[in-house]
Amino acid sequence: MRSAQNGIPLPPLSTVTFDEQGLSVWAFLLSAEKAAYISASTHDNLVGSRVLGHLLSDLWDHRHLSLGAAPYRHLCFEIECCIGMTGALVGSEEETRIHHNNLWALGVAYRNNIIRFFRSNAAAQIHIPPSDDPPQSFDEHRESTLTRQQSTISLPPEMAIRASPISNSDAKNIALIRDGYRCMLSGAIDLSTACRYDEVADLPGATSSTKAVPLFPRSAEEMNEEQAPAALAILKLFRLDAEIESILDYEVNNPRNILTLEYSLCRMFNRFDLWLEEVAVKPNTYDVIVAPAKRHRYSTLTFRLPSRIEFTVAEKVLQECKELDILPPALPDSRLIALRASCSRIVQLSGAAEQIDEMD
């Protein structure tokens, strides 16, 4: 077995800093990892062990940020269920084997759910279809787009459910206006908008094609029979299953769900090679992380990524919204960004990243 395929081994019990609940299950995870490594019958069991271990550690390390400690508690409970009563003699080899099989199955299930869900979402970037409407001036385009998004987002939930949803075209345009027509990370100017409006073409900096990347799939109806259970399992783990509708205000094309990214960054993001890590006590501020093992792949990028970024709504947009007496477009939600970041870290640490192509 190549070590790259197996990920990073779990740290020994003496070096971890969990609370009592985490420490009580860690020895079982180490035992399952060791058994999988010795048997060497399949990569899946070893990767599954490491998915669980690194996921538990990641949730513990980030419990003070926007997702809180609830996901950590939930995963501890799931692991405890795997090592609960088995019907076998306590302390017997049969009981140990059942524990290992249960833990491997849970870890592999999480690996599959993460990859199926987010990799299926990789094709869900928002594309703007050709329009038959007469061309608007730059100012007309901005005002009409901002006004349309406000008419839906500002409604109370019971009315928003029945309101006309934000179209894919408006979703991308709202995000572009919010972000100053630039990639949120590289600062590249959106090429398609620059071709349409001189006001954007005259902005300083390089141009590039950008995509509106949804953090969460735009529509549950778009999920197939594999993707829907995967999405639910992930939301339950991160304790967002009951909150996702309120986060998005019953509108999955809400700007809270959208990142504007340059094409190459979009690919990195969807392959778990790029993610954003919250910075404590600094709202909307994130460290930009490229997976260490993958940095050589992106050494030829034509721009330099910042090490830290603060998301803000463009100053001109704030002024326009004030004049129109409407709320400005929302920034991406930190909880959804944190969910994506955690999944990306686990994929890289566990060895699941090397299996992505096999599962496509």
Side-chain angles (χ1 to χ4, degrees):
M1 293 186 294
R2 293 182 302 147
S3 58
Q5 289 182 318
N6 300 329
I8 297 174
L10 301 180
L13 184 61
S14 60
T15 65
V16 295
T17 59
F18 300 116
D19 61 5
E20 184 176 349
Q21 188 178 21
L23 290 173
S24 69
V25 301
W26 193 253
F28 290 93
L29 293 175
L30 291 176
S31 176
E33 179 191 40
K34 181 178 179 180
Y37 184 81
I38 292 174
S39 66
S41 58
T42 172
H43 292 314
D44 282 356
N45 290 344
L46 186 55
V47 170
S49 303
R50 291 175 176 172
V51 164
L52 279 188
H54 288 303
L55 182 55
L56 187 69
S57 181
D58 190 80
L59 296 178
W60 170 258
D61 290 343
H62 294 84
R63 68 194 183 282
H64 60 290
L65 297 176
S66 61
L67 291 174
Y72 168 76
R73 300 291 177 205
H74 180 77
L75 185 59
C76 282
F77 172 76
E78 288 196 305
I79 295 172
E80 288 169 343
C81 290
C82 290
I83 58 179
M85 297 295 293
T86 64
L89 182 65
V90 175
S92 66
E93 291 185 4
E94 181 184 5
E95 182 189 53
T96 300
R97 177 180 55 80
I98 294 172
H99 288 168
H100 290 169
N101 286 335
N102 290 344
L103 292 170
W104 293 335
L106 180 62
V108 169
Y110 269 123
R111 178 205 64 182
N112 292 347
N113 287 336
I114 290 170
I115 294 176
R116 284 172 182 158
F117 179 51
F118 288 119
R119 289 288 286 162
S120 68
N121 195 32
Q125 285 76 43
I126 296 174
H127 301 280
I128 299 181
S131 174
D132 295 327
D133 296 333
Q136 295 177 309
S137 71
F138 182 64
D139 290 338
E140 289 172 339
H141 161 72
R142 291 174 65 88
E143 181 173 338
S144 63
T145 301
L146 289 170
T147 303
R148 283 198 299 274
Q149 72 97 20
Q150 180 68 20
S151 66
T152 297
I153 295 298
S154 62
L155 290 174
E158 64 272 14
M159 296 178 63
I161 293 173
R162 299 189 294 273
S164 298
I166 298 175
S167 68
N168 289 349
S169 174
D170 278 344
K172 181 171 184 178
N173 283 326
I174 291 166
L176 282 171
I177 291 172
R178 175 195 67 189
D179 303 330
Y181 301 101
R182 295 178 182 272
C183 168
M184 299 181 80
L185 300 186
S186 72
I189 300 163
D190 179 63
L191 178 61
S192 63
T193 313
C195 290
R196 292 168 58 198
Y197 297 112
D198 289 341
E199 292 87 342
V200 177
D202 292 340
L203 292 173
T207 59
S208 182
S209 296
T210 69
K211 291 185 177 183
V213 182
L215 293 163
F216 192 80
R218 294 197 306 277
S219 172
E221 287 74 21
E222 294 177 1
M223 299 183 195
N224 62 33
E225 60 184 14
E226 283 190 341
Q227 295 159 6
L232 182 59
I234 292 169
L235 289 173
K236 281 185 174 180
L237 168 65
F238 289 95
R239 317 313 289 158
L240 294 178
D241 48 315
E243 297 185 38
I244 191 65
E245 296 291 359
S246 62
I247 291 173
L248 300 180
D249 281 339
Y250 298 86
E251 172 53 72
V252 289
N253 272 347
N254 189 306
R256 289 192 186 99
N257 194 38
I258 304 298
L259 296 176
T260 301
L261 294 181
E262 189 269 339
Y263 266 49
S264 60
L265 297 183
C266 174
R267 176 174 173 78
M268 293 170 66
F269 188 75
N270 286 320
R271 290 188 62 83
F272 309 103
D273 293 343
L274 170 70
W275 62 90
L276 304 173
E277 295 190 354
E278 290 180 273
V279 177
V281 201
K282 291 189 177 182
N284 300 309
T285 302
Y286 304 90
D287 287 331
V288 181
I289 308 297
V290 176
K294 305 295 179 64
R295 287 173 185 165
H296 66 283
R297 294 186 180 180
Y298 305 110
S299 59
T300 58
L301 287 174
T302 56
F303 47 82
R304 183 181 296 276
L305 283 173
S307 59
R308 178 171 289 185
I309 191 78
E310 179 183 3
F311 291 158
T312 59
V313 178
E315 188 62 35
K316 183 177 180 181
V317 177
L318 295 175
Q319 182 61 37
E320 286 176 308
C321 290
K322 183 177 181 180
E323 293 172 357
L324 294 169
D325 195 25
I326 60 176
L327 295 173
L331 292 168
D333 189 271
S334 61
R335 290 163 292 183
L336 297 181
I337 291 175
L339 185 157
R340 290 290 298 249
S342 183
C343 290
S344 296
R345 290 189 293 264
I346 301 320
V347 166
Q348 296 296 334
L349 290 170
S350 67
E354 302 300 324
Q355 299 179 327
I356 287 177
D357 291 336
E358 300 173 12
M359 299 183 64
D360 282 346

